[in-house]
């Protein structure tokens, strides 16, 4: 296919390069030239987000940019002039979903030939995906990567005014861009990025390539964002990073994530959460700060991935089963009411039955409050993808089912411990299924449904737990 000037296909090899060069913190890089500002006048956009919280937060920035360009959001793709997919590349099924969706939405172009399609996020950072999109998804007009979000106004101008197909993906380590607009999707809960990228290079994971190198925001910029959110009436913030424990390492600052967590707590916002924490560098100082501040929620997502030390080694996780368990019990000893959730991958290349049994026995020991479980999915360009694998898919599926049955058992047991107790719930609003029912989350991140009262969404109310299920609790406000 003819390559247009300016097209830069992403390159996973280049993305692996990590230098000791410090990331640049750009305070004024983003701007919308005057002739572009009115580009969205009278036009509607539909934005769909796939994947993790980092993508959710990026979508708030994309919405912020589009609305500064006078686009209006719509809820259905049928009503849109621009359809933008913010994509996820973590597993093949995530990618298949996006490709299926883009394929099926093509039909809308028949009724509206000027309809524009854009794709951004992690899939845009993969060379094979971009090559496939350019070749076979001819209706996609715009592709941009995770490092190019601030360029959206110019890229859209190129598509809408010059009529070009626009592709801009940089395989770079990444900088920090501070002055991007944001349209928060929630009124009471907000995501706050504290760092970007990941340098852990777990052997199965695509994220270090799609999101670039670990780079932290300045502490003062983060704290200022939290102060503003508090002043605007937000009740809960979640500090976001692929591995929040690494916060500040690149800035050579004292205190690291524990220090940031403590300073955030002192601002006095009602609820602080954070995600995700790698078990390798979860410090005693962090445990101490979480224990000391009432507004840091007693809930930790602590992905274990496998309960077998040999598999953990091949995964490049940097801890053994025993080290994980030591950390787990240390947290539970210091903060007994702390809820802990995890991520687990089954069917990593050549995982034996015995190694899988080690994962089950770790689940028996930890009795997690919640778990996200996956069948290993080879990701092009990662070390694990070139490992031979002798485990059949049917075996992997059986292991996943067995694992799910096991952790569900404990999740229910954990929920049963709440029966009769009174918990504080931050009200999200009407439950999706029934407007007479309100739902919200406890401090330990349990979903609670209770009969509608005069409470408003954003209120923190006391609820007595009267019944429990595997994934939620029922109660009455008191
Ligand atoms: N296959 C399956 N699961 C994966 N995860 C990350 N990469 C893969 C992969 N290639 C899971 C891990 C991680 C979570 C976000 O997704 O469990 O913690
Ligand atoms: Fe992926 Fe490992 Fe980084 Fe998590 S810590 S994003 S699993 S490489």
């Amino acid at each position: 296919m003819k390559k247009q000037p300016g097209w830069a296909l992403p390159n996973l090899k280049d993305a692996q390069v990590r230098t000791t060069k410090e990331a640049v913190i750009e305070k004024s890089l983003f701007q919308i030239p005057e002739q572009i500002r009115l580009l969205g006048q009278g036009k509607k956009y539909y934005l769909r987000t796939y994947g993790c919280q980092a993508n959710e937060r990026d979508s708030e920035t994309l919405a912020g940019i589009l609305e500064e360009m006078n686009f209006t959001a719509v809820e259905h793709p049928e009503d849109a002039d621009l359809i933008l997919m913010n994509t996820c590349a973590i597993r093949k099924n995530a990618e298949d979903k996006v490709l299926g969706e883009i394929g099926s939405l093509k039909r809308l172009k028949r009724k509206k030939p000027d309809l524009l399609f854009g794709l951004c996020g992690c899939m845009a950072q993969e060379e094979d995906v971009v090559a496939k999109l350019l070749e076979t998804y001819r209706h996609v007009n715009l592709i941009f990567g995770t490092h190019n979000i601030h360029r959206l106004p110019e890229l859209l101008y190129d598509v809408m005014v010059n009529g070009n197909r626009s592709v801009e993906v940089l395989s770079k380590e990444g900088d920090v861009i501070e002055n991007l607009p944001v349209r928060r999707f929630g009124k009471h809960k907000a995501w706050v990025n504290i760092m970007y990228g990941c340098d852990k290079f777990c052997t199965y994971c695509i994220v270090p390539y799609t999101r670039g190198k670990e780079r932290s925001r300045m502490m003062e910029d983060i704290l200022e964002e939290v102060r503003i959110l508090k002043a605007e009436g937000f009740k809960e913030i979640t500090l976001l990073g692929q591995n929040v424990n690494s916060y500040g390492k690149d800035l050579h600052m004292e205190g690291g994530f524990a220090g940031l967590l403590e300073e955030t707590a002192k601002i006095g916002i009602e609820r602080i959460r954070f995600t995700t924490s790698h078990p390798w560098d979860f410090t005693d100082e962090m445990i101490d700060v979480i224990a000391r501040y009432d507004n840091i929620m007693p809930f930790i997502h602590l992905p274990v991935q496998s309960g077998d030390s040999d598999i953990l080694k091949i995964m490049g996780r940097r801890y053994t089963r025993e080290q994980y368990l030591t950390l787990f019990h240390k947290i539970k000893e210091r903060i007994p009411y702390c809820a802990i959730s995890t991520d687990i991958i089954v069917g990593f290349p050549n995982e034996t039955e015995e190694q899988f049994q080690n994962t089950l026995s770790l689940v028996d020991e930890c009795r997690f409050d919640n778990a996200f479980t996956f069948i290993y999915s080879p990701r092009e360009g990662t070390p694990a993808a070139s490992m031979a694998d002798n485990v059949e898919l049917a075996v992997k599926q059986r292991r996943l089912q067995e694992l799910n049955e096991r952790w569900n058992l404990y999740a229910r047991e954990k929920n049963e411990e709440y029966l009769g107790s009174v918990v504080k719930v931050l009200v999200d609003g009407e439950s999706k299924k029934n407007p007479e029912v309100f739902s919200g989350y406890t401090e330990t991140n349990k979903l609670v449904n209770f009969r509608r009262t005069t409470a408003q969404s954003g209120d923190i109310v006391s609820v007595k737990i009267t019944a429990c299920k595997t994934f939620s609790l029922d109660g009455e406000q008191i």
Side-chain angles (χ1 to χ4, degrees):
M1 184 180 31
K2 197 168 142 273
K3 201 171 159 194
Q4 291 186 5
W7 279 12
L9 249 60
N11 181 328
L12 289 181
K13 274 222 158 51
D14 289 354
Q16 192 172 13
V17 174
R18 297 290 196 263
T19 65
T20 51
K21 193 177 84 213
E22 281 179 21
V24 178
I25 299 189
E26 298 278 3
K27 298 258 177 178
S28 55
L29 185 71
F30 175 76
Q31 45 169 304
I32 305 180
E34 219 32 64
Q35 78 273 24
I36 298 184
R37 197 167 276 281
L38 296 178
L39 206 59
Q41 194 92 305
K43 299 236 181 290
K44 303 191 176 82
Y45 76 93
Y46 171 79
L47 173 60
R48 183 171 291 183
T49 311
Y50 299 82
C52 67
Q53 294 96 335
N55 261 16
E56 286 286 335
R57 179 61 189 79
D58 281 351
S59 280
E60 294 183 336
T61 296
L62 294 164
I65 295 175
L66 289 170
E67 287 173 27
E68 283 205 359
M69 293 171 68
N70 289 284
F71 281 91
T72 314
V74 290
E75 303 237 327
H76 305 287
E78 290 76 10
D79 302 328
D81 303 292
L82 165 68
I83 293 177
L84 187 56
M85 307 271 194
N86 188 8
T87 65
C88 169
I90 197 92
R91 282 169 293 275
K92 184 165 182 300
N93 56 7
E95 289 188 357
D96 290 346
K97 213 159 113 189
V98 172
L99 293 177
E101 201 75 24
I102 300 180
S104 90
L105 287 174
K106 186 180 172 185
R107 69 182 194 284
L108 299 177
K109 242 184 136 99
R110 259 182 260 133
K111 273 197 222 131
K112 209 187 262 181
D114 292 341
L115 178 62
L116 298 176
F117 282 89
L119 181 140
C120 60
C122 287
M123 278 171 75
Q125 294 292 145
E126 294 179 288
E127 58 235 50
D128 55 334
V129 171
V130 174
K132 183 170 175 180
L133 283 165
L134 290 175
E135 202 66 49
T136 41
Y137 292 75
R138 303 288 310 167
H139 60 297
V140 175
N141 312 80
L142 169 66
I143 302 173
F144 59 100
T146 57
H147 302 294
N148 308 70
I149 291 176
H150 63 286
R151 295 261 306 139
L152 178 57
E154 280 89 350
L155 297 174
L156 264 179
Y157 185 85
D158 197 33
V159 173
M160 293 170 74
V161 178
N162 301 334
N164 284 334
R165 224 180 163 200
S166 196
V167 179
E168 189 173 283
V169 187
L170 297 176
S171 304
K172 62 188 249 174
E173 298 176 79
D175 294 324
V176 173
I177 301 170
E178 277 299 340
N179 69 327
L180 293 166
V182 53
R183 181 169 62 86
R184 306 267 177 198
F185 295 154
K187 285 202 177 67
H188 311 291
K189 302 203 265 193
W191 310 112
V192 176
N193 284 318
I194 65 166
M195 57 187 302
Y196 305 96
C198 181
D199 283 345
K200 290 285 179 292
F201 288 103
C202 300
T203 55
Y204 51 81
C205 186
I206 193 85
V207 170
Y209 311 88
T210 59
R211 291 263 165 194
K213 102 174 187 178
E214 263 175 24
R215 54 213 191 271
S216 305
R217 292 178 69 198
M218 302 294 286
M219 175 149 9
E220 197 36 53
D221 291 333
I222 299 167
L223 297 178
E224 187 54 21
E225 185 173 338
V226 176
R227 282 185 209 109
I228 292 170
L229 287 166
K230 179 168 186 271
E232 288 174 350
F234 281 84
K235 298 286 172 63
E236 178 178 304
I237 54 147
T238 302
L239 304 176
L240 284 185
Q242 298 301 335
N243 173 24
V244 292
N245 311 357
S246 291
Y247 175 75
K249 285 181 189 168
D250 56 320
L251 302 174
H252 316 292
M253 55 178 270
E254 297 261 305
F257 183 58
L260 173 68
L261 207 46
E262 178 152 27
E263 290 310 309
T264 310
K266 284 185 195 158
I267 292 173
I269 197 155
E270 275 89 343
R271 288 183 165 199
I272 298 163
R273 300 187 187 278
F274 56 91
T275 196
T276 296
S277 279
H278 192 297
W280 177 67
D281 50 6
F282 202 108
T283 63
D284 290 353
E285 288 76 20
M286 283 169 57
I287 303 177
D288 189 54
V289 174
I290 299 163
R292 279 193 289 117
Y293 285 87
D294 284 346
N295 58 345
I296 303 178
M297 295 300 99
F299 168 71
I300 299 171
H301 185 57
L302 198 65
V304 65
Q305 313 296 3
S306 165
D308 182 86
S309 293
D310 290 337
I311 291 282
L312 287 169
K313 190 155 198 232
I314 310 171
M315 284 178 163
R317 289 293 288 179
R318 310 174 187 211
Y319 54 84
T320 61
R321 169 194 176 94
E322 291 70 31
Q323 284 166 329
Y324 182 89
L325 289 172
T326 303
L327 171 65
F328 183 94
H329 292 303
K330 197 168 14 169
I331 294 170
K332 285 281 184 179
E333 234 161 70
R334 183 82 166 85
I335 319 168
Y337 45 90
C338 190
I340 299 184
S341 64
T342 200
D343 290 345
I344 297 172
I345 298 173
V346 298
F348 191 75
N350 307 316
E351 181 190 56
T352 65
E353 198 53 37
E354 191 188 341
Q355 288 169 327
F356 171 64
Q357 290 301 326
N358 285 338
T359 294
L360 288 184
S361 73
L362 181 130
V363 170
D364 289 337
E365 180 162 345
C366 296
R367 302 164 71 239
F368 293 107
D369 289 84
N370 200 356
F372 300 89
T373 56
F374 314 101
I375 290 180
Y376 165 71
S377 169
R379 303 282 66 210
E380 176 100 23
T382 62
S386 53
M387 293 176 193
D389 186 2
N390 63 13
V391 189
E392 279 172 34
L393 181 62
V395 172
K396 296 183 192 221
Q397 284 165 336
R398 195 257 303 147
R399 286 181 189 165
L400 182 69
Q401 197 186 340
E402 212 175 313
L403 173 63
N404 285 342
E405 281 165 14
R406 192 69 65 93
W407 81 257
N408 284 354
L409 211 69
Y410 297 118
R412 196 188 164 93
E413 247 180 58
K414 288 269 156 176
N415 279 351
E416 277 166 9
E417 291 170 13
Y418 283 74
L419 277 175
S421 67
V422 175
V423 290
K424 284 192 191 136
V425 174
L426 171 56
V427 182
D428 277 339
E430 288 172 5
S431 110
K432 282 183 203 112
K433 289 183 212 140
N434 180 353
E436 285 313 304
V437 173
F438 271 171
S439 66
Y441 285 84
T442 67
E443 298 196 331
T444 51
N445 212 32
K446 303 275 179 199
L447 174 63
V448 177
N449 293 307
F450 61 99
R451 188 149 27 98
R452 190 186 188 110
T453 61
T454 52
Q456 305 283 317
S457 62
D459 287 351
I460 294 177
V461 299
S462 293
V463 175
K464 182 162 187 177
I465 302 304
T466 53
C468 77
K469 305 190 174 82
T470 304
F471 305 113
S472 65
L473 302 166
D474 291 338
E476 294 289 338
Q477 188 182 334
I478 55 169

